[in-house]
């Protein structure tokens, strides 16, 4: 016979006898129940089938994994995104949602091409041009296959439940169809156009890059910066002044004596491309010169002085050079005034043929040469330090050049207005909310999106130049006999062009554009292309729009905004209604993870552990593959030795996941400490031991007794207390999950399981369990199993392998009956909430803590058979006498309303209770505290505390200090206060 607690509709609970056929749960599953938690053992042998689930309630929950780039392996930033999304998916599955989570990989055009080029050059000394386009693409596909397998393996080791049969790649056939269709629809709607325009050009990549791939580095004065391809740093942050001599058109056609206009520039290398000098028409110093000319000394020709309100009269001399081919403002000025454009820097970053004897010179070498030439001509007027913004390519670290080139652009203004309107109307929400301001600012100031890239790896632009000339060039697309058409293939292009030109198809020559599309264009389509768009599939109808888009805040504009704009434009509805942005993962010291710092950690380093030598070998492999430089390699080695002198301990995937979710993911930065993972591995072992303990007593108690009816009201106070705490924990976890505050959920779980359940409840229950035939023992058994069943189900989204492994081995069916058996996510049991009992136990735990402090202070141990007396007139403590004795580790506890303190007693007072602890004479004699030293130490601590409190209370600190700084200082304050309290406590025994 064994006992089962059934819950009746009236809320009562009864233990009922069950026939012998319902024996204890089979012990087969417990044969592999090891003595301690070993994550490696259970994770490598984990069953991949779904363990926790709930009956499908008809609601859907769909999302896509932000596809990792195939440029390398996953790092902890990916691990954070993967963990957060897996937690959400598991939580929804356990609540009955039909969930779909689509995995994928991104071809990452520029990044992948760069990394493969480096690898090939390092290994074979060959460039992509040596290979040729077709052969080079084959090499990249080989790279893709290798990395896809590695990344897939990493994701699986994280224990995630992705829908692997749906896996896609942004360059696979289905995605290519979607990209082509999207381009054609936008092109035919007039939202894609081709134009000569200034683009952000990386001379290292030989490609245009988008605005959001440009980093803006501010320098406040003369600053030396490393530039790829230059042996020595290049100077930025200087303003050079030089003179343009006035030119008299009539009547002499010569220079006007000493007349000149001085201009200032941070880019002397572009002087050969100056086509005008501009002044503000309201500037009285120069207004009379508008319409006159100056002499260009390097080209030996005159250029006009123009008036335009864009000129800031307070900048420099109030007169500026106009170089349309290399500056965005100048480009617009030239269009307004009908000026020509002269490109003087080419795609390789060298001066063009239009620069005469300087042609072929590198741009920053030419800077000095041009200043020297101006000095020889007596036109240089000095140099001064100047605050400026240097545009840096986020991919290559090259200084971005602005070049005028024919490129494909997406018109964004109307789409941006719609995205902004959806946010303002509440149709689209962003977490954390403060990113809404960034969203608004960016969309209100959006520029057209350059989507063409001069690469070989990517989706070819589906545009065909069609005409009668076999050497059809892109520029010829503006003539009447040559046009550009967007088409799915060359045959469709021929048919379209023939109809538009009224020409026989076989008379046309066709050539596809050589460029590829920006990677972000293809990835922006994923919310719907992942489900079969442009085909109207059942998946698309059912799973689109997505339920949520979760990703890092650093790609809010790279990716998220573009998904919203293109998704709404192409499908007629928002691709998702919620955006959840997580922070950037940094190391334990708050530094961004960097190859050169040696603080980059891969998930498997934490999951399986890694020796320092293994970490070094991984770096060496990257160096030999050309992925990092020798300098980066040496710095990284030094960084690793400093951060991980003993290597990284094995923690397991569950501990890694729990640690990542223990931080507020909404913070701008998420600081990751390997030691926290180690601690959370110990937390896993705590749960492991609790289940082992429960199973042992389940067998012992249920075999020893036959129990009649027992109502819930008959449970002991500590049983009711832990059930009340359990109900509160479940509520906090569910509320926190709803708000994406995973750190509050994990904190509640850890506090309940580790402290309240294991350290307090189980210790208090041992006395009752030893009386195996008592009702107290039966009540403890049921309570333990309920707490562990609910606790494991609450923990499951965060630590899925450990939770399912232990839940499967917990003798749930031996104590509880479910119809059907519950594997869903727990909900709050409000009827178990009992604030009165919680208050009572809070009080007795203060008494327990006081007794423990006294014992520790005087070094009273079990061999001294400690005895304590509680002096109080409250009857509450009588109900908890055994609990106080067990938890405080005393041999005896007595309660008196009044008693005289003896000489061998030390005293403390907590609320309405006076605690007296007997301390042997020899221990009291040893307690010799140097009061003077205590006071000196206390004075120093108080001084430190006052200083840090004064700093943190200022308005400037509250507004400007980072969240990490505030967190660190808050911990310092708490630590100092705790030390001072301890000294005060010790001083009280010397008086």
């Amino acid at each position: 016979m064994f006992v089962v607690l059934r819950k009746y509709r009236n809320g009562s609970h009864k233990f009922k006898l069950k026939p012998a056929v319902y024996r204890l749960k089979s012990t087969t599953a417990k044969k592999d129940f090891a003595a301690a938690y070993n994550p490696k053992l259970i994770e490598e042998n984990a069953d991949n089938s779904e363990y926790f689930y709930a009956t499908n309630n008809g609601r859907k929950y769909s999302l896509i994994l932000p596809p990792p780039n195939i440029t390398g392996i996953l790092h902890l930033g990916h691990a954070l995104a993967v963990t957060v999304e897996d937690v959400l998916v598991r939580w929804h599955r356990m609540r009955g949602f039909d969930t779909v989570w689509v995995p994928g990989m991104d071809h990452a055009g520029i990044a992948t091409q760069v990394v493969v080029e480096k690898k090939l050059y390092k290994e074979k000394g060959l460039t992509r041009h040596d290979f040729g386009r077709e052969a080079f693409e084959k090499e990249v596909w080989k790279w893709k296959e290798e990395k896809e397998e590695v990344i897939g393996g990493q994701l699986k080791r994280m224990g995630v439940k992705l829908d692997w049969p749906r896996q896609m790649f942004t360059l696979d056939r289905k995605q290519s169809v979607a990209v082509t269709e999207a381009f054609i629809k936008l092109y035919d709607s007039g939202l894609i156009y081709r134009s000569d325009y200034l683009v952000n050009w990386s001379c290292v990549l030989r490609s245009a890059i988008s605005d959001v791939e440009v980093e803006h580095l501010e320098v406040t004065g003369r600053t030396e910066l490393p530039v790829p391809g230059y042996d020595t740093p290049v100077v930025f942050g200087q303003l050079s002044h030089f003179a343009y001599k006035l030119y008299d058109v009539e009547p002499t056609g010569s220079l006007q004596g000493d007349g000149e206009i001085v201009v200032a520039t941070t880019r002397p290398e572009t002087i050969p491309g100056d086509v005008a000098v501009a002044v503000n028409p309201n500037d009285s110093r120069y207004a009379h010169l508008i319409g006159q000319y100056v002499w260009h000394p390097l080209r030996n020709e005159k250029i006009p002085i123009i008036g335009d309100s864009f000129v800031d009269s307070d900048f420099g001399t109030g007169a500026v050079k106009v170089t349309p081919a290399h500056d965005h403002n100048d480009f617009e000025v030239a269009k307004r005034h009908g000026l020509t454009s002269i490109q003087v820097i080419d795609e390789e970053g060298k001066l063009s043929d239009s620069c005469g004897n300087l042609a072929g010179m590198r741009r920053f070498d030419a800077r000095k040469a041009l200043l020297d030439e101006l000095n020889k001509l007596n036109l240089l007027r000095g140099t001064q330090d100047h605050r400026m913004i240097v545009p840096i390519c986020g991919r290559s670290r090259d200084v971005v050049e602005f070049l005028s080139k024919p490129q494909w652009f997406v018109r964004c203004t109307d789409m941006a207005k719609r995205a902004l309107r959806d946010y303002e109307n509440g149709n689209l929400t962003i977490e954390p909310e403060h990113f809404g301001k960034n969203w608004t600012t960016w969309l209100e100031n959006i520029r057209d999106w350059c989507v063409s890239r001069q690469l070989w790896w990517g989706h070819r632009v589906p545009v065909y130049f069609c005409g009668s000339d076999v050497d059809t060039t892109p520029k010829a697309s503006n003539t009447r006999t040559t046009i550009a058409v967007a088409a799915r293939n060359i045959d469709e292009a021929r048919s379209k062009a023939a109809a538009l030109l009224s020409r026989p198809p076989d008379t046309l020559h066709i050539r596809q554009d050589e460029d590829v599309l920006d990677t972000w264009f293809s990835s922006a389509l994923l919310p719907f292309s992942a489900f079969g768009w442009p085909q109207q599939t059942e998946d698309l109808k059912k799973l689109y729009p997505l339920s949520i888009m979760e990703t890092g805040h650093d790609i809010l504009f790279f990716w998220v905004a573009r998904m919203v704009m293109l998704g709404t434009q192409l499908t007629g509805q928002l691709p998702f209604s919620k955006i959840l942005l997580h922070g950037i993962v940094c190391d334990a010291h708050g530094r961004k993870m960097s190859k050169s710092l040696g603080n980059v950690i891969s998930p498997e380093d934490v999951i399986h552990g890694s020796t320092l030598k293994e970490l070094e070998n991984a770096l060496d492999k990257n160096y030999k593959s050309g992925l990092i430089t020798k300098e980066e390699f040496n710095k990284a080695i030094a960084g690793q030795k400093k951060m991980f002198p003993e290597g990284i301990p094995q923690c397991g995937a569950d501990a890694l996941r729990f640690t990542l979710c223990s931080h507020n993911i909404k913070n701008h930065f998420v600081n990751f400490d390997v030691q926290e993972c180690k601690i959370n591995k110990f937390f896993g072992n705590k749960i492991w031991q609790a289940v082992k303990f429960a199973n042992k007593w389940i067998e012992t108690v249920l075999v020893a007794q036959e129990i009649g009816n027992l109502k819930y009201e008959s449970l002991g106070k500590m049983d009711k207390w832990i059930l009340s705490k359990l109900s509160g924990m479940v509520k906090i976890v569910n509320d926190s999950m709803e708000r994406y505050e995973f750190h509050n959920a994990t904190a509640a779980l850890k506090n309940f399981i580790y402290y309240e359940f294991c350290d307090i409840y189980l210790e208090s229950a041992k006395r009752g369990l030893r009386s195996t035939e008592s009702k107290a023992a039966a009540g403890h058994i049921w309570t333990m199993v309920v707490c562990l069943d609910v606790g494991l189900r609450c923990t499951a989204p965060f630590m899925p392998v450990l939770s399912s492994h232990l839940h499967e081995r917990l003798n749930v069916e031996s104590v509880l009956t479910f119809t059907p058996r519950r594997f869903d996510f727990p909900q709050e049991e409000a009827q178990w909430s009992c604030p009165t009992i919680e208050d009572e136990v809070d009080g007795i735990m203060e008494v327990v803590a006081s007794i423990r402090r006294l014992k520790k202070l005087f070094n009273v141990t079990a061999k001294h058979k400690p005895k304590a007396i509680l002096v109080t007139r409250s009857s509450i403590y009588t109900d908890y006498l055994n609990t106080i004795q067990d938890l405080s580790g005393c041999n005896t506890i007595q309660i008196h309303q009044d008693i005289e303190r003896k000489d061998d007693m030390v005293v403390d007072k907590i609320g309405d209770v006076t605690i007296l602890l007997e301390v042997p004479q020899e221990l009291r004699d040893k307690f010799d505290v140097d009061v003077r030293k205590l006071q000196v130490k206390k004075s120093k601590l108080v001084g430190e505390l006052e200083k840090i409190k004064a700093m943190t209370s200022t308005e400037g600190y509250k507004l400007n200090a980072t969240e990490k700084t505030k967190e660190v200082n808050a911990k310092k304050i708490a630590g100092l206060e705790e030390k001072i309290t301890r000294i005060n406590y010790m001083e009280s025994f010397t008086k």
Side-chain angles (χ1 to χ4, degrees):
M1 309 289 285
F2 73 94
V3 71
V4 176
L5 180 67
R6 290 189 181 277
K7 181 178 173 184
Y8 289 86
R9 289 183 180 178
N10 62 8
S12 66
H13 298 74
K14 292 184 179 181
F15 289 102
K16 297 197 71 178
L17 297 176
K18 298 292 290 184
V21 68
Y22 296 102
R23 298 185 183 280
L24 286 174
K25 186 176 180 180
S26 171
T27 58
T28 304
K30 291 182 285 180
K31 290 180 180 178
D32 63 343
F33 210 144
Y37 172 46
N38 184 337
K40 183 175 187 294
L41 182 64
I42 69 167
E43 287 174 3
E44 288 184 352
N45 296 289
D47 184 356
N48 288 325
S49 61
E50 197 73 35
Y51 181 81
F52 293 106
Y53 62 90
T55 303
N56 193 315
N57 57 27
R59 292 180 291 178
K60 66 98 177 175
Y61 191 77
S62 61
L63 67 162
I64 61 173
L65 177 70
N69 292 347
I70 58 163
T71 47
I73 61 175
L74 300 185
H75 50 66
L76 286 180
H78 296 105
L80 176 61
V82 167
T83 298
V84 168
E85 291 171 32
D86 192 57
V87 166
L88 288 172
V89 167
R90 290 178 183 274
W91 182 55
H92 280 85
R93 282 179 182 165
M94 291 179 71
R95 294 161 66 220
F97 284 74
D98 180 11
T99 62
V100 172
W101 185 24
V102 181
M105 307 283 173
D106 198 304
H107 68 279
I110 291 177
T112 302
Q113 180 162 311
V114 169
V115 77
V116 174
E117 281 191 273
K118 285 183 178 179
K119 177 177 181 291
L120 293 176
Y121 192 79
K122 183 79 173 180
E123 294 176 349
K124 302 180 181 181
L126 299 174
T127 69
R128 76 175 189 270
H129 299 286
D130 295 325
F131 276 88
R133 185 163 188 159
E134 186 176 346
F136 177 75
E137 286 180 341
K138 287 181 180 179
E139 292 293 327
V140 185
W141 276 105
K142 288 180 187 176
W143 170 276
K144 176 262 180 185
E145 296 299 329
E146 293 171 6
K147 294 303 175 184
E148 188 174 58
E149 184 176 353
V150 171
I151 293 171
Q154 287 183 292
L155 289 170
K156 289 171 183 175
R157 281 192 291 276
M158 287 287 296
V160 298
K161 281 295 181 183
L162 285 155
D163 291 282
W164 290 106
R166 294 179 177 274
Q167 183 173 358
M168 45 77 182
F169 176 56
T170 54
L171 260 182
D172 65 25
R173 188 186 65 81
K174 288 183 179 179
Q175 296 305 312
S176 293
V177 169
V179 168
T180 299
E181 192 68 23
F183 188 98
I184 292 172
K185 284 181 177 294
L186 294 171
Y187 182 87
D188 291 345
S189 299
L191 291 175
I192 290 183
Y193 65 95
R194 195 167 194 267
S195 175
D196 286 341
Y197 195 75
L198 282 192
V199 295
N200 306 306
W201 186 267
S202 168
C203 299
V204 171
L205 300 177
R206 307 280 178 87
S207 175
I209 59 175
S210 66
D211 289 341
V212 288
E213 291 170 305
V214 178
E215 298 174 9
H216 299 92
L217 177 65
E218 183 177 8
V219 297
T220 57
R222 188 182 190 279
T223 305
E224 293 185 346
L225 299 176
V227 178
Y230 289 80
D231 296 331
T232 58
V234 177
V235 175
F236 294 88
Q238 287 193 320
L239 197 62
S240 298
H241 298 261
F242 70 96
Y244 272 119
K245 292 295 184 179
L246 295 176
Y247 183 82
D248 185 11
V249 179
E250 296 290 347
T252 61
S254 62
L255 298 180
Q256 296 184 17
D258 294 330
E260 65 181 29
I261 187 167
V262 177
V263 299
T265 181
T266 59
R267 304 205 60 202
E269 64 272 19
T270 64
I271 292 174
D274 291 355
V275 297
V277 171
V279 298
N280 193 302
N282 297 318
D283 191 334
S284 59
R285 295 172 296 174
Y286 304 116
H288 66 287
L289 296 176
I290 295 173
Q292 297 189 35
Y293 291 84
V294 293
W295 184 256
H296 196 299
L298 303 177
R299 296 206 309 268
N300 293 319
E301 62 182 53
K302 65 181 187 296
I303 59 175
I305 301 173
I306 62 174
D308 197 291
S309 58
F310 97 98
V311 178
D312 180 359
S313 298
D314 296 326
F315 173 78
T317 64
V320 297
K321 61 198 264 323
V322 179
T323 318
H326 300 285
D327 182 273
H328 284 290
N329 287 328
D330 295 359
F331 184 87
E332 297 299 332
V333 169
K335 286 200 297 185
R336 288 197 293 271
H337 293 268
L339 300 173
T340 58
S341 180
I342 302 173
Q343 183 169 315
V344 294
I345 297 175
D346 65 16
E347 296 175 359
E348 296 181 16
K350 296 177 181 179
L351 265 61
S352 66
D353 292 341
S354 62
C355 297
N357 61 353
L358 295 179
M361 185 179 290
R362 298 187 304 175
R363 53 182 169 159
F364 297 123
D365 293 335
R367 176 180 292 181
K368 183 178 184 303
L370 283 160
L371 289 175
D372 289 343
E373 181 65 19
L374 289 172
N375 193 40
K376 288 178 185 178
L377 296 171
N378 197 30
L379 296 175
L380 195 60
R381 298 293 182 262
T383 302
Q384 68 183 68
D385 284 357
H386 178 66
R387 182 187 297 271
M388 66 177 292
I389 302 295
V390 182
I392 303 293
C393 173
R395 300 289 186 186
S396 65
R397 311 312 301 169
D398 187 19
V399 175
V400 171
E401 194 61 60
F402 302 118
L403 299 184
S404 178
K405 299 184 70 64
Q407 299 286 343
W408 292 103
F409 291 87
V410 175
R411 301 184 197 276
C412 294
T413 303
D414 289 341
M415 289 191 290
K417 287 179 180 177
R418 189 160 50 229
L420 183 57
R421 190 163 56 247
D422 279 325
Y423 171 70
E424 292 172 342
N425 292 341
N427 298 327
L428 181 67
T429 60
I430 301 176
E431 288 276 351
E433 292 181 359
H434 64 261
F435 280 107
K437 183 177 180 181
N438 304 58
W439 180 265
T440 300
T441 300
W442 191 74
L443 290 174
E444 285 179 343
N445 297 279
I446 199 166
R447 295 167 64 178
D448 286 353
W449 172 19
C450 176
V451 292
S452 49
R453 298 289 181 269
Q454 290 64 53
L455 302 172
W456 288 356
W457 176 246
H459 296 277
R460 282 279 292 274
V461 174
V463 171
Y464 297 81
F465 300 102
C466 312
S468 55
D469 188 347
V470 71
D471 295 321
T472 301
T473 63
K475 290 183 179 180
S477 64
N478 294 323
T479 68
R480 292 182 178 179
T481 58
T482 304
I483 60 171
V485 295
R488 296 166 184 81
N489 51 57
I490 193 169
D491 292 333
E492 184 180 73
R494 188 182 302 278
S495 176
K496 276 188 172 183
L500 291 170
L501 292 171
S502 300
R503 295 273 301 277
D506 56 0
T507 65
L508 296 176
H509 296 282
I510 313 290
R511 185 179 64 81
Q512 186 175 359
D513 196 301
E514 291 290 324
D515 290 350
V516 300
L517 288 166
D518 178 14
T519 304
W520 297 108
F521 184 88
S522 53
S523 58
L525 311 179
L526 292 178
F528 44 98
S529 65
F531 301 118
W533 187 91
Q535 301 299 317
Q536 295 302 305
T537 64
E538 287 301 314
D539 274 353
L540 187 64
K541 295 174 185 176
K542 178 183 176 183
L543 302 172
Y544 182 80
L546 302 177
S547 302
I548 192 171
M549 172 47 60
E550 193 284 332
T551 189
H553 67 70
D554 54 326
I555 55 175
L556 177 60
F557 307 121
F558 279 95
W559 190 38
V560 182
R562 288 165 174 173
M563 281 190 286
V564 170
M565 289 192 295
L566 292 191
T568 309
Q569 179 67 34
L570 294 168
T571 71
Q573 53 186 325
L574 282 166
F576 36 78
S577 58
K578 289 183 181 179
I579 300 169
L580 174 61
L581 303 171
H582 65 249
I584 306 302
V585 177
C586 299
D587 67 15
H589 305 291
R591 302 175 303 175
K592 287 187 178 181
M593 293 196 173
S594 162
K595 290 179 291 186
S596 61
L597 291 175
N599 60 353
V600 175
I601 305 172
S602 68
E604 55 264 43
D605 289 336
V606 180
I607 294 171
H608 302 304
S610 187
T611 65
L612 186 59
K613 184 62 178 176
E614 288 170 336
L615 293 173
E616 290 178 0
N617 289 341
L619 286 173
D620 186 60
K621 184 178 179 181
N622 286 340
Y623 168 64
K624 289 177 178 177
S625 297
L627 303 183
I628 58 175
T629 65
K630 184 66 174 177
E631 183 182 9
E632 288 175 326
F633 173 76
N634 291 333
K635 285 184 179 179
I637 289 291
Q640 283 184 344
K641 288 179 179 178
K642 185 176 181 180
M643 287 196 68
F644 313 115
E646 305 299 325
I648 297 175
Q650 179 215 96
C651 299
D654 278 351
L656 171 60
R657 293 164 58 103
F658 197 87
T659 302
L660 290 168
C661 289
S662 296
H663 295 267
N664 186 350
I665 67 159
K666 297 180 188 178
N667 284 344
H668 209 75
F669 299 104
V670 176
N671 296 339
F672 179 85
D673 189 346
V674 169
Q675 292 306 312
E676 288 184 41
C677 269
K678 189 176 179 180
I679 292 169
N680 285 323
K681 176 186 173 184
F682 295 151
F683 172 55
N685 187 60
K686 191 81 167 182
I687 306 173
W688 185 279
Q689 299 304 331
V691 173
K692 285 193 68 178
F693 176 88
N695 275 355
K696 167 193 168 184
W697 283 105
I698 289 169
E699 294 187 14
T700 303
V701 172
L702 295 185
V703 168
Q705 65 169 312
E706 289 186 4
I707 305 172
N709 293 339
L710 181 64
K711 294 184 178 180
Y712 168 75
E713 288 73 17
S714 300
L715 293 174
K717 281 199 170 185
M718 291 305 290
D719 296 324
K720 293 178 180 178
W721 171 76
I722 197 64
L723 290 175
S724 183
K725 287 292 186 180
L726 176 69
S727 178
M729 180 272 288
V730 171
K731 184 178 189 310
I732 291 172
V733 170
N734 276 300
D735 289 348
S736 299
M737 298 287 269
E738 289 284 1
R739 296 192 296 266
Y740 310 113
E741 294 172 354
F742 307 109
H743 61 299
N744 290 333
T746 55
L749 277 165
K750 202 168 186 179
N751 182 66
F752 174 80
I753 296 173
Y754 208 116
Y755 173 64
E756 293 170 341
F757 179 72
C758 291
D759 288 355
I760 298 178
Y761 176 73
L762 290 187
E763 291 301 316
S764 72
K766 287 179 179 178
R767 182 192 294 258
L769 288 170
R770 286 193 289 269
S771 300
T772 56
E773 296 184 3
S774 67
K775 288 185 177 180
H780 292 337
I781 289 297
W782 181 80
T783 303
M784 278 195 299
V785 173
V786 167
C787 288
L788 286 171
D789 164 57
V790 172
L792 288 171
R793 286 188 283 133
C794 281
T795 309
F798 304 100
M799 306 178 88
V801 177
L802 176 63
S803 298
S804 60
H805 185 88
L806 292 179
H807 196 274
E808 188 176 19
R809 286 155 180 77
L810 178 66
N811 274 320
V812 177
E813 297 100 324
S814 305
V815 179
L816 310 175
T817 57
F818 304 103
T819 310
R821 183 181 177 193
R822 295 193 306 182
F823 292 92
D824 61 344
F825 200 84
Q827 299 300 311
E828 178 190 8
E829 296 281 0
Q831 73 273 16
W832 287 345
S833 178
C834 190
T836 301
I837 289 183
E838 288 194 31
D839 290 342
E840 290 177 0
V841 175
D842 286 345
I844 71 133
M845 287 310 300
E846 288 184 13
V847 171
V848 168
S850 173
I851 297 172
R852 288 174 174 174
R853 281 197 303 269
L854 291 172
K855 287 173 61 183
K856 183 177 180 181
L857 190 62
F858 289 93
N859 202 26
V860 176
T861 62
K863 70 178 182 179
H864 300 110
K865 297 181 179 180
K867 176 183 176 182
I869 298 174
L870 308 183
V871 183
T872 179
R873 296 185 178 279
S874 173
S875 61
I876 293 296
Y877 298 94
T878 304
D879 297 338
Y880 296 97
L881 191 60
N882 290 339
T883 299
I884 296 172
Q885 181 179 343
D886 294 340
L887 294 179
S888 65
C890 287
N891 268 41
T892 60
I893 294 281
Q894 295 178 3
I895 297 179
H896 294 277
Q897 289 190 0
D898 194 13
I899 192 171
E900 185 178 345
R901 175 186 172 186
K902 298 179 181 179
D903 291 341
D904 64 349
M905 293 179 177
V906 293
V907 64
D908 194 12
K909 187 172 178 61
I910 302 293
D912 60 355
V913 184
T914 299
I915 298 104
L916 302 175
L917 177 70
E918 289 186 1
V919 179
Q921 183 64 45
E922 67 271 17
L923 296 181
R924 283 185 282 119
D925 291 342
K926 291 178 181 178
F927 186 72
D928 184 17
V929 179
D930 189 326
V931 178
R932 187 181 60 80
K933 287 184 178 179
L934 274 179
Q935 289 176 340
V936 170
K937 185 176 182 181
K938 177 181 173 181
S939 178
K940 183 178 179 181
L941 292 171
V942 169
E944 290 181 26
L945 181 62
E946 289 175 348
K947 184 177 179 180
I948 194 170
K949 279 189 171 181
M951 179 191 71
T952 57
S953 63
T954 64
E955 195 65 28
Y957 175 86
K958 293 175 182 177
L959 292 174
N960 301 319
T962 64
E963 289 301 320
K964 175 60 180 176
T965 299
K966 291 178 181 177
E967 181 183 340
V968 169
N969 287 330
K971 287 181 179 179
K972 285 182 181 178
I973 290 172
L976 289 168
E977 289 177 337
E978 193 274 333
K979 289 177 181 178
I980 293 170
T981 300
R982 191 160 60 243
I983 290 176
N984 289 337
Y985 185 72
M986 294 176 72
E987 283 182 333
S988 68
F989 290 99
T990 65
K991 297 175 181 177

